[in-house]
Amino acid sequence: MRHTPIPNLPTKLYINGEWLEASDKATFDVTNPATEELVATVASATPEDGLLALDAAQIAFHDWAHRKPRERAEILRKAFELIIDQKEELARLVTIENGKALPDSRAEIAYAAEFFRWNAEEAVRNIGEVSRAPSSGARMLVHHKPAGIAVLVTPWNYPAAMGTRKIAPALAAGCPVVIKPASETPLTMLALMPILEAAGVPPGVVNVLPSRRSGLLVDTMLRDPRVRVVSFTGSTEVGRKLLRSAADSVINPAMELGGNAPFVVLADANVDIAVEGALVAKMRNLGEACTAANRFFVHDSLYDEFSRKLAHRMGAMRVGNGLEEGVEVGSLVNSETRTKVVELVEDAISRGARVLTGGTVIEGPGYFCPPTVLVDVPASAECFKEEIFGPVAALTRFTDEDELATRCNDTEYGLVAYIFTEDLRRGLAFAEKLDFGMIGLNRGLVSDPAAPFGGMKQSGIGREGAHEGIMEFLETQYISVEW
Ligand code: NAD
């Protein structure tokens, strides 16, 4: 395998502020999806390394939890500034290990940094309350304590942001963390550690354990009574496993799981605005997002115009190595992801869907997939049931708005839905009928550090961002007082 080394790239475990080999010296390879070249060989943490990281986190906990909120806030704010200073280098690293195009990586780093800024502001707003018990008249003091060590497990699709969305609120709350980044993309998280150090995060407060033995490693940590929070972003399948492990130790779970977002174009929508929204909701991160529009429902009267315009725009996007300027659609993360996308497209075609653009296979090296628009996709197609996780828009038409909400809700997921209409009253009424945690109304983008991100049903438990995000890492304590 060809190898283009990147100078000064951290590749070891980061425990207690030190760079360590795995206890059994095991490593694994990280490759560039666009070239299939080896990028780095990374230490693969053992369960014993997990316990070592918990020891470090436990020792760091007391001091970190007792720092003044303002002091923690200023460290987080500094982290935001330092990440922004290194935005370009970090974005390139995201592209190298994940495959997405540079504009997507730059947007991710800006988003990832914002969680530090937002939570710097949240760290000093840990507000409790005092009230009187209605019957006894005693005073009730309610305040929030840092919950304890948090184990964080993150996916490959946003190697920086899915981690910072957890690290920043945990640190703001006063909790130390042990994070296990995805095995496909551990490098960006490791590269963030010298930045956090420079910002003033003490040793042991953030520990990073890349590993190829995720199941055993995470399970061992979740069975340790020192761990009080598990925050996971990834597939619903793995989320269910972690919930089972968390149940045994009664650990507070925060779960950001899969999605199957409907994208609804109502009869009175402005088609051009809906197409712009679709490009964001579908093509941001080349469709490798839990928030990606997965099922397009377009009113019959707009269907032909919308599908033609969307196919024109998606068909014109430049596909290629994400490091090249001008490339808008990078490589999918690995061959399994591409195979799944190809199979979903073939399945839809075999059931009667037509291809307006794309639909072909691009030869390697690299796991490229052309932006694809499928029309007349039947409800039975697999791509309407599963996350596509690639640059494929699957369209179907509707006439009856009353039964549409039922069709949208007909999924185990409930993360995000998009609605396009020129009538806000109609849009809000339709939104209320949907069992989704987030709604984009005339917008293809809902993610914002200041907004409560999260899903209903099997899309998850809890919220990240907003004020809710920090609450996942705080325990409420009530003191009944007589004075
Ligand atoms: P994944 O569930 O396969 O892996 C996520 C993480 O869990 C990785 O770090 C992986 O190494 C680890 N893991 C795998 N098996 C494990 C086990 N048995 N025990 C402990 N850890 C284990 O998900 P992925 O393929 O990396 O990411 C794609 C999925 O993530 C999609 O379903 C997507 O919808 C979801 N996602 C959700 C959100 C959200 O906020 N709701 C955001 C991004 C991605």
Side-chain angles (χ1 to χ4, degrees), residues 249-319:
S249 318
V250 193
I251 293 173
N252 181 28
M255 296 278 141
E256 293 292 345
L257 309 176
N260 182 0
F263 186 103
V264 172
V265 184
L266 295 177
D268 67 347
N270 176 314
V271 172
D272 294 322
I273 292 175
V275 168
E276 290 305 325
L279 286 167
V280 178
K282 181 75 254 179
M283 294 306 294
R284 192 169 70 105
N285 227 45
L286 72 152
E288 289 177 323
C290 52
T291 49
N294 213 55
R295 299 172 288 157
F296 285 79
F297 298 101
V298 185
H299 190 266
D300 189 50
S301 59
L302 306 178
Y303 187 77
D304 291 338
E305 184 187 356
F306 176 85
S307 46
R308 185 170 34 80
K309 287 183 168 168
L310 182 63
H312 176 71
R313 292 288 298 278
M314 280 176 57
M317 293 180 92
R318 195 170 142 210
V319 183

Side-chain angles (χ1 to χ4, degrees), residues 153-158 162 165-166 180-184 211 213-219 222 232-239 241-242 245 255-259 288-291 333 337 387 389 413 415 438 453-455 459-460 464:
V153 183
T154 53
W156 48 258
N157 62 343
Y158 288 92
M162 295 301 96
R165 195 161 81 171
K166 301 180 190 302
K180 197 215 76 67
S183 322
E184 293 83 353
S211 180
R213 296 167 271 201
S214 312
L216 209 53
L217 168 66
V218 174
D219 199 56
L222 296 190
F232 172 73
T233 297
S235 61
T236 299
E237 189 193 344
V238 174
K241 284 187 196 160
L242 298 195
S245 306
M255 296 278 141
E256 293 292 345
L257 309 176
E288 289 177 323
C290 52
T291 49
V333 75
T337 306
E387 282 185 299
F389 243 62
Y413 297 110
L415 188 61
M438 301 177 287
F453 187 105
S459 284
E464 292 190 318

Side-chain angles (χ1 to χ4, degrees), residues 434-479:
L434 298 181
D435 300 329
F436 289 82
M438 301 177 287
I439 307 283
L441 184 48
N442 293 325
R443 279 177 63 81
L445 179 70
V446 294
S447 303
D448 190 313
F453 187 105
M456 296 182 184
K457 291 156 64 178
Q458 296 198 31
S459 284
I461 300 174
R463 294 291 181 271
E464 292 190 318
H467 180 59
E468 283 89 335
I470 193 172
M471 295 311 291
E472 303 285 353
F473 300 95
L474 290 168
E475 287 276 16
T476 297
Q477 186 176 54
Y478 143 64
I479 306 173

